């Protein structure tokens, strides 16, 4: 079978050379979408004609399906070329970008940029198929508002609360990172990060917060004193990074969308060793995802 020429690397000039028009992007999407062969979405027939714009027309019922149909690129208002460039920047930049920046740089409407970027974040969401193993640290933090002077978990109601987990390498470096919005610091709220992202065999370490005690019935949790964070250096560095990223890139992150921003952050962290294929990985996810209508996004 024909092997797809996947785009590799983070080089901007090379990227602009490869994708010069909407048609170049359609070709890429079509190759990805139908690499396992064509099957008509209406009648299931396998025979088709390939059109000039790489869409396919079924030989039996004549239904024509575009390369972007039923993907997260479905009816993208500003064209695929801009959409590909935004995906490239969002996946390869280390900093992330705001919708205001994207709107200006690609001369598109701010709301349109925001809605498309949320679709990209949906595609960046963890599959939850690869739970963290080995040495895992779990901690919580708050975003927004003042934090000085707080040591307990009795933070005010306005701040957004987040629980996060890191998988560590043997030398104590961050291998993977996940974070989830929580409503409070109870065991019930802390549990989903375990269920979604941590293997039952993992060696989990937390500080002495009582909210973790009920969870230790099902998970191997060792609770140790935080010692002002000294015992949790790697996870605290990550918390510092995600907070300053949220603060500098997005002055205001709504409670409704915070998980999307956390997905974006985790996606880039967890793929920092696979930068060569990160763009292709993102486009693959955009193609596989169900289409999401703008009204469900914002
Ligand atoms: Zn058909």
């Amino acid at each position: 079978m024909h092997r797809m020429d996947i785009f590799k690397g983070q080089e901007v000039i090379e990227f602009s050379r490869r994708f010069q028009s909407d048609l170049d992007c359609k070709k890429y999407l079509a190759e990805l979408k139908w690499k396992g062969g064509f099957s008509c979405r209406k009648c299931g027939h396998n025979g088709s004609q390939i059109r000039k714009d790489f869409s396919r027309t079924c030989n039996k019922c004549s239904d024509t399906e575009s390369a972007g149909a039923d993907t997260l690129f479905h009816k993208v208002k500003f064209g695929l070329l801009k959409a590909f460039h935004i995906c490239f920047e969002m996946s390869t930049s280390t900093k992330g970008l705001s919708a205001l920046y994207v709107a200006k740089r690609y001369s598109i409407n701010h709301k349109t940029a925001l809605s498309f970027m949320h679709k990209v974040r949906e595609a960046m969401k963890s599959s939850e198929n690869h739970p963290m193993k080995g040495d895992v640290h779990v901690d919580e933090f708050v975003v927004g508002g003042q934090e000085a002077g707080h040591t307990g978990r009795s933070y005010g109601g306005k701040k957004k609360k987040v629980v996060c987990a890191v998988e560590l390498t043997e030398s104590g470096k961050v291998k993977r990172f996940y974070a989830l919005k929580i409503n409070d610091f109870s065991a019930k709220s802390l549990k989903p990060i375990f269920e979604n992202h941590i293997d039952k065999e993992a060696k989990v370490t937390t500080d002495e917060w009582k909210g973790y005690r009920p969870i230790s019935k099902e998970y191997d949790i060792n609770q140790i004193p935080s010692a002002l964070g000294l015992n949790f250096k790697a996870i605290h560095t990550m918390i510092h990074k995600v907070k300053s990223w949220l603060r500098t890139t997005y002055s205001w992150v709504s409670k409704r969308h915070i998980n999307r921003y956390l997905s974006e952050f985790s996606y880039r962290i967890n793929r920092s060793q696979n930068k060569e294929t990160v763009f292709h990985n993102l486009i693959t996810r955009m193609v596989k995802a169900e289409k999401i209508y703008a009204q469900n996004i914002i």
Side-chain angles (χ1 to χ4, degrees):
M1 197 191 286
H2 169 73
R3 264 181 84 98
M4 183 176 179
D5 178 19
I6 71 169
F7 182 82
K8 285 186 179 166
Q10 316 171 58
E11 226 267 278
V12 179
I13 307 280
E14 212 155 289
F15 187 83
S16 323
R17 235 178 245 143
R18 173 78 186 263
F19 301 103
Q20 299 186 11
S21 63
D22 284 357
L23 202 62
D24 292 339
C25 306
K26 280 178 186 165
K27 181 167 184 267
Y28 202 84
L29 291 183
E31 285 194 38
L32 247 176
K33 189 178 191 179
W34 292 304
K35 68 173 181 227
F38 172 83
S39 170
C40 175
R41 58 181 173 178
K42 293 268 159 71
C43 75
H45 186 71
N46 295 118
S48 68
Q49 305 281 327
I50 302 174
R51 310 240 148 220
K52 276 189 191 134
D53 67 353
F54 300 100
S55 60
R56 303 270 195 134
T57 300
C58 173
N59 284 341
K60 202 171 169 192
C61 75
S62 300
D63 176 63
T64 296
E65 183 177 338
S66 73
D70 298 320
T71 75
L72 291 183
F73 293 103
H74 189 70
K75 288 185 178 159
V76 58
K77 283 178 196 156
F78 42 82
L80 283 173
L81 184 61
K82 287 182 182 182
F84 264 48
H85 271 267
I86 296 168
C87 288
F88 182 65
E89 281 207 65
M90 284 180 80
S91 59
T92 56
S93 80
T94 43
K95 291 262 178 268
L97 8 145
S98 71
L100 270 175
Y101 168 89
V102 167
K104 205 188 283 171
R105 297 274 281 177
Y106 296 96
S107 59
I108 55 183
N109 173 283
H110 177 232
K111 260 185 91 173
T112 312
L114 194 65
S115 136
F116 180 71
M117 290 171 81
H118 276 321
K119 288 182 188 177
V120 177
R121 291 182 187 111
E122 283 290 318
M124 287 174 164
K125 205 157 74 181
S126 161
S127 66
E128 297 173 8
N129 289 332
H130 308 284
M132 299 195 282
K133 290 175 178 166
D135 203 2
V136 175
H137 286 191
V138 179
D139 203 357
E140 332 87 47
F141 62 96
V142 292
V143 189
Q146 288 181 3
E147 290 157 49
H150 286 283
T151 45
R153 257 82 172 177
S154 54
Y155 306 119
K158 286 227 166 155
K159 285 169 202 152
K160 287 148 228 149
K161 303 167 189 78
V162 177
V163 61
C164 63
V166 290
E167 181 184 38
L168 298 172
T169 63
E170 277 178 22
S171 54
K173 297 234 162 66
V174 175
K175 201 168 169 187
R176 282 193 289 163
F177 173 86
Y178 291 110
L180 283 178
K181 182 193 91 166
I182 49 177
N183 292 325
D184 52 51
F185 300 112
S186 66
K188 189 173 169 255
S189 298
L190 295 171
K191 207 167 175 198
I193 192 124
F194 286 82
E195 292 170 334
N196 299 348
H197 297 294
I198 303 176
D199 195 279
K200 289 247 161 105
E201 303 293 308
K203 293 248 169 263
V204 183
T205 308
T206 70
D207 64 14
E208 293 173 304
W209 173 240
K210 62 178 194 270
Y212 294 108
R213 271 176 232 157
I215 306 170
S216 65
K217 281 178 206 134
E218 289 170 62
Y219 289 85
D220 182 0
I221 300 177
N222 182 25
Q223 294 198 280
I224 62 169
S226 166
L228 292 170
L230 281 175
N231 288 333
F232 295 92
K233 267 199 170 150
I235 195 165
H236 280 200
T237 304
M238 290 310 297
I239 291 173
H240 179 76
K241 272 190 192 166
V242 69
K243 282 168 80 165
S244 71
W245 174 68
L246 285 170
R247 203 167 37 231
T248 52
T249 316
Y250 315 101
S251 53
W252 189 79
V253 171
S254 78
K255 267 191 183 155
R256 232 193 113 187
H257 298 313
I258 188 161
N259 273 340
R260 287 195 179 126
Y261 293 100
L262 295 170
S263 291
E264 181 188 348
F265 182 85
S266 306
Y267 180 83
R268 270 196 301 267
I269 291 289
N270 297 344
R271 269 157 202 81
S272 51
Q273 304 303 315
N274 305 307
K275 280 281 188 190
E276 274 293 285
T277 51
V278 70
F279 170 76
H280 182 72
N281 176 278
L282 179 59
I283 300 297
T284 307
R285 285 161 166 253
M286 297 282 288
V287 167
K288 280 186 185 157
E290 294 283 312
K291 62 172 178 267
I292 300 174
Y293 289 109
Q295 58 261 41
N296 300 328
I297 281 283
I298 298 183

